[in-house]
Amino acid sequence: MARTATIVRKTSESSVELSLNLDGTGKTDIDTSVPFYNHMMTALGKHSLIDLTIKAHGDTDIDVHHTVEDIAIVFGEALKQALGDKRGIRRFADATVPLDEALAKAVVDISGRPYCVCSGEPAGYEFCMMGGHFTGSLVRHVMESIALHAGICLHMQVLAGRDPHHIAEAEFKALARALRFAVEPDPRIEGLIPSTKGSL
Ligand SMILES: [Mn+2]
C-alpha cells in the first residue's frame, strides 16, 4: 500500500496544503510563504527521502508564528496518516548531524505515543532572528508540533553550535535523517508490527 498522505487544513489564521510520500527520494516543492522555513522544510524532505509538497499562506503580516506552527501540525498529521498501522518499519532511529561548528542529535521512536524533549540550545537562541522573520524559539515549537501530531517520541539535543542558522539547520537535518531510517521498511520484519504489544 502506498505510504502517502495529503492534508488540506484551513483556519482563520492559515491555509495549508501538504502532500508527502514516505517512500520517495527527497523531492520537494515547498512554498510556506516564510523564506527561512522553506529552507528548513526543503532540508527536511531532502534528507529524510520523504517527497514533500507544501503550499501555505497565512497571517504572516502579523507574525509568521501561526503559519509555521500550522505547517508543522499538518506535517505531523500527514506523517501519522502515511505510516498507517506502522507495519514493517524500523521504528527506532537516531542521527547526529553537524553543520560546521553546530552539532544536533535527533532520536525518534515511531511509538504512537507523542512526546518531545529538546535540550542544549545555547542561551538566547530562542530570541535569535533568522531570515528576518523566523525566531530560534520556533525551532523547538516545530519539533514539538511534529512529534505531538505524528504521535512519535522525539528527543532533540543541540550538542554544539554558535550560529543560529547553523544550529537550526543541523536540527532539521538530524530530524530528517532519523526519520528516514525510522520510517524505512525493515526487510527482516516484513509485514510485522515492531512492538511486543502488537500495535503502535
Ligand atoms: Mn504557537
Side-chain angles (χ1 to χ4, degrees):
M1 212 172 79
R3 300 196 304 163
T4 61
T6 296
I7 294 180
V8 179
R9 181 185 190 268
K10 289 184 202 298
T11 72
S12 58
E13 294 177 340
S14 74
S15 172
V16 181
E17 293 181 37
L18 184 148
S19 296
L20 57 75
N21 176 8
L22 299 184
D23 302 299
T25 55
K27 192 157 63 86
T28 57
D29 183 7
I30 311 282
D31 181 8
T32 68
S33 76
V34 180
F36 185 78
Y37 201 31
N38 289 342
H39 182 36
M40 295 298 106
M41 295 308 284
T42 300
L44 181 57
K46 183 79 179 173
H47 297 292
S48 63
L49 303 187
I50 295 172
D51 290 344
L52 182 60
T53 301
I54 303 174
K55 299 291 163 202
H57 57 87
D59 55 1
T60 51
D61 52 320
I62 297 172
D63 184 21
V64 303
H65 188 114
H66 298 145
T67 302
V68 168
E69 178 175 356
D70 292 348
I71 290 167
I73 288 170
V74 174
F75 178 78
E77 288 173 346
L79 202 53
K80 184 178 188 171
Q81 192 177 310
L83 280 162
D85 66 5
K86 308 181 182 75
R87 201 172 289 276
I89 62 168
R90 295 191 190 280
R91 180 179 168 180
F92 301 99
D94 66 273
T96 309
V97 173
L99 201 171
D100 295 351
E101 90 295 347
L103 185 65
K105 179 177 186 177
V107 185
V108 301
D109 175 11
I110 310 294
S111 58
R113 287 176 293 113
Y115 212 96
C116 186
V117 181
C118 296
S119 62
E121 292 178 349
Y125 177 63
E126 63 269 46
F127 308 121
C128 291
M129 190 68 85
M130 289 167 262
H133 47 260
F134 193 98
T135 52
S137 68
L138 283 172
V139 178
R140 180 183 296 194
H141 203 358
V142 166
M143 297 300 162
E144 289 169 342
S145 295
I146 291 173
L148 299 189
H149 290 270
I152 67 177
C153 175
L154 168 64
H155 285 249
M156 177 64 72
Q157 299 176 324
V158 177
L159 301 175
R162 179 176 178 275
D163 182 280
H165 185 131
H166 289 171
I167 296 168
E169 192 166 333
E171 289 183 87
F172 276 89
K173 286 176 172 171
L175 172 64
R177 200 72 176 176
L179 276 180
R180 171 187 166 175
F181 292 112
V183 307
E184 207 166 56
D186 182 343
R188 293 180 65 184
I189 60 155
E190 198 179 339
L192 299 177
I193 292 173
S195 165
T196 51
K197 67 175 185 289
S199 81
L200 285 171

